[in-house]
Amino acid sequence: LKGVFLDRAFRQAGFGAARLSPTRMAGCFDCFCGLFGGAGAEKKKALAKAKGLVKAVVLEKSCGPILIRTAWHDAGTYDKANASKPWPEAGGAIGSIRTEHEIKAPPNAGLQKAITAYLSPIKEQVPEVSWADLIQLAGAVSVECMGGPVIPMKYGRVDGEPKELVPPPFGLPAALPPFGQPGVKNPNDAAEHLRYVFYKYGMDDKDIVALSGAHTIGRAFKERSNTVREGYMDGTVYTKKGAAALKNSQTCGGRSWTKDWLIFNNSYFTDMPKADPECITFPTDAVLMTDPSFKQHFDLFAKDQSAFFSAYASAHKKLSECGSKFEPASGITGI
Protein backbone atom coordinates (compact mmCIF):
# COMPACT_ATOMS: atom_id res chain seq x y z
CA LEU A 1 0.00 0.00 0.00
CA LYS A 2 2.84 2.40 0.82
CA GLY A 3 4.46 1.70 -2.53
CA VAL A 4 1.26 2.18 -4.54
CA PHE A 5 0.41 5.39 -2.69
CA LEU A 6 3.84 6.96 -3.10
CA ASP A 7 4.42 5.75 -6.64
CA ARG A 8 1.17 7.40 -7.72
CA ALA A 9 1.97 10.55 -5.76
CA PHE A 10 5.43 10.88 -7.27
CA ARG A 11 4.13 10.25 -10.81
CA GLN A 12 1.53 12.98 -10.36
CA ALA A 13 4.23 15.30 -9.03
CA GLY A 14 6.25 14.75 -12.24
CA PHE A 15 8.98 12.50 -10.94
CA GLY A 16 8.43 9.84 -13.59
CA ALA A 17 8.23 6.11 -13.11
CA ALA A 18 11.42 5.58 -11.09
CA ARG A 19 10.68 3.59 -7.98
CA LEU A 20 12.18 4.43 -4.59
CA SER A 21 14.22 1.98 -2.57
CA PRO A 22 12.38 0.39 0.38
CA THR A 23 14.42 2.47 2.85
CA ARG A 24 13.75 5.77 1.11
CA MET A 25 10.14 4.74 0.55
CA ALA A 26 9.63 4.26 4.30
CA GLY A 27 11.17 7.64 5.06
CA CYS A 28 9.02 9.41 2.50
CA PHE A 29 5.90 7.65 3.75
CA ASP A 30 6.64 9.00 7.22
CA CYS A 31 6.92 12.48 5.70
CA PHE A 32 3.55 12.08 3.99
CA CYS A 33 2.02 10.89 7.26
CA GLY A 34 3.33 14.01 8.91
CA LEU A 35 1.74 16.17 6.22
CA PHE A 36 -1.64 14.49 6.28
CA GLY A 37 -1.88 13.51 9.93
CA GLY A 38 -0.65 10.20 11.26
CA ALA A 39 1.93 9.74 13.99
CA GLY A 40 3.26 13.30 13.72
CA ALA A 41 -0.15 14.82 14.26
CA GLU A 42 -0.83 12.51 17.19
CA LYS A 43 2.47 13.49 18.82
CA LYS A 44 1.65 17.16 18.40
CA LYS A 45 -1.78 16.59 19.92
CA ALA A 46 -0.21 14.81 22.90
CA LEU A 47 2.25 17.67 23.42
CA ALA A 48 -0.58 20.21 23.33
CA LYS A 49 -2.47 18.16 25.89
CA ALA A 50 0.62 17.98 28.10
CA LYS A 51 1.00 21.74 27.87
CA GLY A 52 -2.54 22.25 29.08
CA LEU A 53 -2.06 19.82 31.96
CA VAL A 54 1.17 21.54 33.03
CA LYS A 55 -0.52 24.95 32.96
CA ALA A 56 -3.28 23.66 35.21
CA VAL A 57 -0.83 22.25 37.75
CA VAL A 58 1.32 25.39 37.81
CA LEU A 59 -1.69 27.65 38.34
CA GLU A 60 -3.28 25.37 40.92
CA LYS A 61 -0.17 24.67 43.00
CA SER A 62 2.19 27.58 42.21
CA CYS A 63 4.94 25.05 41.51
CA GLY A 64 6.56 26.77 38.55
CA PRO A 65 9.96 27.42 40.17
CA ILE A 66 10.70 23.77 40.91
CA LEU A 67 9.68 22.75 37.39
CA ILE A 68 12.05 25.32 35.89
CA ARG A 69 14.87 24.15 38.14
CA THR A 70 14.22 20.54 37.12
CA ALA A 71 14.38 21.45 33.42
CA TRP A 72 17.59 23.42 33.93
CA HIS A 73 19.27 20.65 35.91
CA ASP A 74 18.37 18.03 33.33
CA ALA A 75 19.80 20.13 30.50
CA GLY A 76 22.69 21.40 32.62
CA THR A 77 24.65 18.15 32.56
CA TYR A 78 25.65 18.92 28.98
CA ASP A 79 29.29 19.54 28.07
CA LYS A 80 30.09 20.47 24.47
CA ALA A 81 33.58 19.04 24.98
CA ASN A 82 31.91 15.62 24.86
CA ALA A 83 29.75 16.35 21.82
CA SER A 84 31.84 14.05 19.64
CA LYS A 85 31.00 11.05 21.82
CA PRO A 86 28.07 8.78 20.88
CA TRP A 87 24.73 10.19 21.96
CA PRO A 88 23.75 10.60 24.82
CA GLU A 89 27.22 10.58 26.46
CA ALA A 90 27.49 14.40 26.40
CA GLY A 91 24.49 14.67 28.72
CA GLY A 92 21.94 17.45 28.35
CA ALA A 93 18.16 17.64 28.02
CA ILE A 94 17.64 13.90 27.67
CA GLY A 95 15.45 13.13 30.68
CA SER A 96 18.26 11.47 32.63
CA ILE A 97 17.57 13.53 35.74
CA ARG A 98 15.01 10.83 36.61
CA THR A 99 17.76 8.25 37.15
CA GLU A 100 18.85 7.32 40.67
CA HIS A 101 22.36 8.54 39.91
CA GLU A 102 21.16 12.08 39.20
CA ILE A 103 17.95 12.69 41.11
CA LYS A 104 19.44 11.64 44.46
CA ALA A 105 22.63 13.67 44.05
CA PRO A 106 23.12 16.82 46.19
CA PRO A 107 22.69 19.35 43.34
CA ASN A 108 19.20 17.94 42.69
CA ALA A 109 17.99 17.84 46.29
CA GLY A 110 14.26 18.43 46.41
CA LEU A 111 13.63 17.81 42.72
CA GLN A 112 12.20 14.32 43.22
CA LYS A 113 8.94 16.06 44.11
CA ALA A 114 8.78 17.66 40.68
CA ILE A 115 9.10 14.26 39.01
CA THR A 116 6.80 12.21 41.22
CA ALA A 117 4.18 14.69 42.44
CA TYR A 118 3.82 17.05 39.49
CA LEU A 119 5.05 15.43 36.28
CA SER A 120 4.40 11.69 36.70
CA PRO A 121 0.59 12.12 36.81
CA ILE A 122 0.83 14.10 33.57
CA LYS A 123 3.13 11.54 31.94
CA GLU A 124 0.56 8.84 32.66
CA GLN A 125 -2.00 10.80 30.63
CA VAL A 126 0.36 11.47 27.71
CA PRO A 127 2.63 8.42 27.40
CA GLU A 128 3.51 9.44 23.85
CA VAL A 129 5.48 12.42 25.19
CA SER A 130 9.05 11.59 26.21
CA TRP A 131 10.29 12.47 29.67
CA ALA A 132 12.90 14.73 28.10
CA ASP A 133 10.17 16.68 26.30
CA LEU A 134 7.84 16.79 29.29
CA ILE A 135 10.53 18.14 31.61
CA GLN A 136 11.52 20.90 29.18
CA LEU A 137 7.92 21.70 28.30
CA ALA A 138 7.11 22.09 32.00
CA GLY A 139 9.97 24.55 32.46
CA ALA A 140 8.99 26.71 29.50
CA VAL A 141 5.28 26.69 30.36
CA SER A 142 6.09 27.65 33.95
CA VAL A 143 7.98 30.73 32.78
CA GLU A 144 5.01 31.77 30.66
CA CYS A 145 2.42 31.06 33.37
CA MET A 146 4.28 33.27 35.85
CA GLY A 147 4.31 36.23 33.49
CA GLY A 148 7.55 35.62 31.61
CA PRO A 149 8.18 35.41 27.86
CA VAL A 150 6.74 32.80 25.53
CA ILE A 151 9.69 30.60 24.61
CA PRO A 152 9.75 29.24 21.02
CA MET A 153 10.41 25.67 22.06
CA LYS A 154 11.22 22.69 19.89
CA TYR A 155 10.03 19.20 20.89
CA GLY A 156 10.52 15.63 19.79
CA ARG A 157 13.33 14.80 22.25
CA VAL A 158 14.35 11.19 22.70
CA ASP A 159 15.00 9.93 26.24
CA GLY A 160 18.55 8.85 26.95
CA GLU A 161 20.81 7.67 29.78
CA PRO A 162 24.60 8.05 29.49
CA LYS A 163 26.56 4.86 30.07
CA GLU A 164 29.53 6.80 31.43
CA LEU A 165 28.28 8.21 34.73
CA VAL A 166 29.69 11.61 35.57
CA PRO A 167 30.05 12.27 39.32
CA PRO A 168 28.11 15.13 40.98
CA PRO A 169 27.80 18.07 40.65
CA PHE A 170 27.48 17.15 36.93
CA GLY A 171 28.96 20.49 35.85
CA LEU A 172 26.04 22.41 37.36
CA PRO A 173 26.61 25.86 38.89
CA ALA A 174 27.25 26.31 42.59
CA ALA A 175 26.01 29.19 44.77
CA LEU A 176 28.88 29.62 47.20
CA PRO A 177 32.67 29.24 47.11
CA PRO A 178 34.87 27.38 46.99
CA PHE A 179 33.97 26.71 43.37
CA GLY A 180 35.62 23.39 42.77
CA GLN A 181 34.72 22.69 39.15
CA PRO A 182 37.62 21.55 36.96
CA GLY A 183 39.04 24.39 34.92
CA VAL A 184 38.33 27.03 37.58
CA LYS A 185 41.71 28.49 38.59
CA ASN A 186 40.47 30.67 41.44
CA PRO A 187 37.99 28.79 43.70
CA ASN A 188 36.66 32.13 44.98
CA ASP A 189 36.08 33.73 41.57
CA ALA A 190 32.32 33.67 40.91
CA ALA A 191 32.67 35.14 37.42
CA GLU A 192 35.18 32.49 36.36
CA HIS A 193 32.90 29.80 37.76
CA LEU A 194 29.85 31.07 35.87
CA ARG A 195 31.79 31.22 32.63
CA TYR A 196 33.19 27.72 33.12
CA VAL A 197 29.68 26.31 33.64
CA PHE A 198 27.79 28.17 30.93
CA TYR A 199 30.45 28.34 28.23
CA LYS A 200 30.36 24.54 28.02
CA TYR A 201 26.69 24.91 27.01
CA GLY A 202 27.73 27.19 24.15
CA MET A 203 26.54 30.30 26.00
CA ASP A 204 28.03 33.80 26.12
CA ASP A 205 28.07 36.47 28.84
CA LYS A 206 24.70 37.90 27.76
CA ASP A 207 23.15 34.43 28.04
CA ILE A 208 24.66 34.01 31.52
CA VAL A 209 23.12 37.24 32.80
CA ALA A 210 19.77 36.54 31.14
CA LEU A 211 19.53 33.03 32.59
CA SER A 212 20.58 34.32 36.01
CA GLY A 213 17.52 36.55 35.79
CA ALA A 214 15.35 33.49 36.30
CA HIS A 215 16.21 33.92 39.97
CA THR A 216 13.45 36.48 39.93
CA ILE A 217 11.39 33.42 40.87
CA GLY A 218 12.01 30.61 43.35
CA ARG A 219 13.68 30.07 46.71
CA ALA A 220 16.65 28.38 48.32
CA PHE A 221 16.14 26.03 51.29
CA LYS A 222 18.49 24.95 54.03
CA GLU A 223 17.41 21.33 53.60
CA ARG A 224 18.18 21.37 49.88
CA SER A 225 21.32 23.44 49.32
CA ASN A 226 22.35 24.44 52.85
CA THR A 227 23.14 27.88 51.47
CA VAL A 228 20.58 29.76 53.60
CA ARG A 229 19.47 29.44 57.21
CA GLU A 230 15.75 29.28 56.36
CA GLY A 231 14.19 25.86 55.89
CA TYR A 232 10.73 24.43 55.46
CA MET A 233 9.63 25.35 58.97
CA ASP A 234 10.56 29.02 58.84
CA GLY A 235 11.16 31.72 56.28
CA THR A 236 11.37 35.42 55.53
CA VAL A 237 8.54 37.92 55.40
CA TYR A 238 8.12 36.86 51.78
CA THR A 239 8.20 33.09 52.26
CA LYS A 240 6.93 32.19 55.73
CA LYS A 241 3.54 30.63 56.30
CA GLY A 242 0.80 33.12 55.56
CA ALA A 243 2.95 35.32 53.29
CA ALA A 244 0.98 36.71 50.36
CA ALA A 245 3.78 35.84 47.94
CA LEU A 246 3.22 32.11 48.57
CA LYS A 247 0.00 32.18 46.53
CA ASN A 248 -1.03 28.51 46.20
CA SER A 249 2.36 27.01 47.03
CA GLN A 250 2.14 23.93 49.22
CA THR A 251 5.62 24.57 50.65
CA CYS A 252 6.39 27.56 52.82
CA GLY A 253 9.79 28.72 54.04
CA GLY A 254 13.16 29.20 52.42
CA ARG A 255 14.67 32.45 51.19
CA SER A 256 13.93 34.08 47.83
CA TRP A 257 15.94 36.36 45.56
CA THR A 258 12.98 38.75 45.16
CA LYS A 259 9.93 39.67 47.19
CA ASP A 260 7.41 38.53 44.57
CA TRP A 261 9.13 35.26 43.81
CA LEU A 262 6.25 33.71 41.88
CA ILE A 263 6.15 36.51 39.31
CA PHE A 264 8.55 36.32 36.38
CA ASN A 265 9.74 39.85 35.62
CA ASN A 266 12.97 41.86 35.77
CA SER A 267 12.85 42.55 39.52
CA TYR A 268 15.98 40.43 40.02
CA PHE A 269 17.87 43.21 38.24
CA THR A 270 15.98 46.21 39.58
CA ASP A 271 15.94 45.10 43.22
CA MET A 272 19.32 43.45 43.79
CA PRO A 273 21.17 46.78 44.19
CA LYS A 274 18.72 47.68 46.98
CA ALA A 275 20.10 44.82 49.12
CA ASP A 276 16.81 43.80 50.72
CA PRO A 277 17.84 41.95 53.94
CA GLU A 278 14.98 39.49 53.43
CA CYS A 279 16.34 38.33 50.06
CA ILE A 280 19.33 36.29 48.85
CA THR A 281 22.26 37.65 46.94
CA PHE A 282 24.85 34.93 46.37
CA PRO A 283 28.35 35.73 45.07
CA THR A 284 27.26 34.38 41.68
CA ASP A 285 24.47 36.98 41.72
CA ALA A 286 26.47 39.94 43.02
CA VAL A 287 29.25 39.47 40.46
CA LEU A 288 26.80 40.35 37.69
CA MET A 289 26.83 43.93 39.01
CA THR A 290 30.63 44.25 39.08
CA ASP A 291 32.17 42.21 36.26
CA PRO A 292 32.37 44.68 33.33
CA SER A 293 31.10 42.27 30.70
CA PHE A 294 28.24 41.03 32.85
CA LYS A 295 27.36 44.51 34.14
CA GLN A 296 26.46 45.96 30.76
CA HIS A 297 23.74 43.34 30.35
CA PHE A 298 22.65 43.55 33.99
CA ASP A 299 22.11 47.31 33.68
CA LEU A 300 20.22 46.94 30.40
CA PHE A 301 17.88 44.29 31.80
CA ALA A 302 17.20 46.46 34.86
CA LYS A 303 16.09 49.31 32.58
CA ASP A 304 14.32 47.31 29.89
CA GLN A 305 12.22 44.28 30.79
CA SER A 306 11.45 43.56 27.14
CA ALA A 307 15.19 43.31 26.41
CA PHE A 308 15.52 40.87 29.30
CA PHE A 309 12.57 38.78 28.12
CA SER A 310 13.97 38.58 24.58
CA ALA A 311 17.42 37.55 25.79
CA TYR A 312 16.01 35.11 28.32
CA ALA A 313 13.75 33.36 25.80
CA SER A 314 16.69 32.89 23.44
CA ALA A 315 19.02 31.56 26.15
CA HIS A 316 16.38 29.29 27.70
CA LYS A 317 15.63 27.74 24.31
CA LYS A 318 19.35 27.20 23.70
CA LEU A 319 19.77 25.50 27.08
CA SER A 320 16.68 23.34 26.57
CA GLU A 321 18.16 21.83 23.40
CA CYS A 322 21.64 21.07 24.77
CA GLY A 323 22.51 17.44 24.02
CA SER A 324 19.02 16.62 22.78
CA LYS A 325 18.28 14.16 19.99
CA PHE A 326 15.09 14.97 18.11
CA GLU A 327 12.70 12.74 16.19
CA PRO A 328 11.99 13.99 13.63
CA ALA A 329 15.41 15.61 13.34
CA SER A 330 13.82 18.99 12.59
CA GLY A 331 11.80 18.77 15.81
CA ILE A 332 8.18 19.62 16.50
CA THR A 333 7.21 23.28 16.87
CA GLY A 334 4.07 25.33 17.21
CA ILE A 335 2.95 23.80 20.52
Side-chain angles (χ1 to χ4, degrees), residues 278-292:
E278 297 290 317
C279 292
I280 310 167
T281 300
F282 290 135
T284 45
D285 300 308
V287 75
L288 304 180
M289 297 188 291
T290 58
D291 180 273

Side-chain angles (χ1 to χ4, degrees), residues 53 73 89 170 176 193 196 204 260 271:
L53 293 170
H73 281 216
E89 297 307 315
F170 312 124
L176 299 173
H193 172 65
Y196 162 77
D204 58 24
D260 294 312
D271 292 357

Side-chain angles (χ1 to χ4, degrees), residues 240-261:
K240 65 184 180 182
K241 186 175 182 179
L246 281 168
K247 296 189 177 182
N248 299 327
S249 176
Q250 299 173 335
T251 305
C252 60
R255 178 174 283 259
S256 58
W257 284 261
T258 64
K259 62 182 180 179
D260 294 312
W261 49 270

Side-chain angles (χ1 to χ4, degrees), residues 13-319:
F15 288 99
R19 297 297 295 263
L20 298 173
S21 69
T23 300
R24 293 184 65 189
M25 183 78 76
C28 289
F29 187 77
D30 289 340
C31 292
F32 272 80
C33 285
L35 290 172
F36 298 109
E42 289 301 312
K43 185 68 170 291
K44 201 163 187 175
K45 182 191 290 187
L47 284 162
K49 181 179 179 180
K51 183 174 183 178
L53 293 170
V54 169
K55 280 186 176 181
V57 170
V58 171
L59 294 174
E60 178 187 353
K61 299 183 178 179
S62 298
C63 59
I66 195 174
L67 296 180
I68 295 171
R69 182 169 169 244
T70 302
W72 276 39
H73 281 216
D74 190 44
T77 60
Y78 180 71
D79 188 340
K80 66 180 183 180
N82 296 323
S84 61
K85 294 182 178 181
W87 182 86
E89 297 307 315
I94 57 176
S96 62
I97 196 170
R98 299 173 296 114
T99 63
E100 292 288 303
H101 176 65
E102 291 187 30
I103 199 64
K104 291 188 175 181
N108 295 326
L111 296 185
Q112 182 72 62
K113 182 177 182 180
I115 301 296
T116 57
Y118 301 137
L119 296 182
S120 287
I122 294 174
K123 184 70 168 72
E124 291 174 0
Q125 297 183 63
V126 284
E128 309 94 326
V129 177
S130 69
W131 269 107
D133 262 356
L134 181 58
I135 289 168
Q136 295 306 320
L137 180 147
V141 170
S142 294
V143 170
E144 182 180 347
C145 284
M146 291 186 289
V150 177
I151 301 167
M153 296 288 285
K154 180 168 74 170
Y155 298 104
R157 292 171 186 78
V158 178
D159 288 336
E161 295 182 19
K163 295 179 180 178
E164 299 177 13
L165 299 182
V166 177
F170 312 124
L172 295 167
L176 299 173
F179 301 115
Q181 299 279 23
V184 176
K185 297 177 182 178
N186 183 349
N188 294 307
D189 189 335
E192 185 185 13
H193 172 65
L194 286 174
R195 290 189 173 104
Y196 162 77
V197 171
F198 287 93
Y199 281 10
K200 60 187 177 61
Y201 305 150
M203 304 286 183
D204 58 24
D205 286 358
K206 182 179 179 180
D207 294 326
I208 292 172
V209 180
L211 288 172
S212 296
H215 279 153
T216 193
I217 51 92
R219 298 164 286 171
F221 292 86
K222 180 179 181 179
E223 294 89 346
R224 297 180 186 176
S225 62
N226 200 31
T227 55
V228 296
R229 64 177 180 271
E230 294 83 7
Y232 298 129
M233 303 307 295
D234 60 357
T236 68
V237 295
Y238 308 132
T239 66
K240 65 184 180 182
K241 186 175 182 179
L246 281 168
K247 296 189 177 182
N248 299 327
S249 176
Q250 299 173 335
T251 305
C252 60
R255 178 174 283 259
S256 58
W257 284 261
T258 64
K259 62 182 180 179
D260 294 312
W261 49 270
L262 283 171
I263 299 176
F264 197 105
N265 54 28
N266 70 334
S267 61
Y268 173 81
F269 304 104
T270 60
D271 292 357
M272 195 192 303
K274 301 174 185 177
D276 187 335
E278 297 290 317
C279 292
I280 310 167
T281 300
F282 290 135
T284 45
D285 300 308
V287 75
L288 304 180
M289 297 188 291
T290 58
D291 180 273
S293 181
F294 290 155
K295 188 177 187 301
Q296 62 177 320
H297 304 297
F298 186 98
D299 291 345
L300 173 62
F301 297 158
K303 295 176 183 177
D304 189 344
Q305 181 169 279
S306 63
F308 165 50
F309 276 15
S310 177
Y312 180 83
S314 174
H316 184 121
K317 174 179 170 61
K318 189 186 298 185
L319 180 62

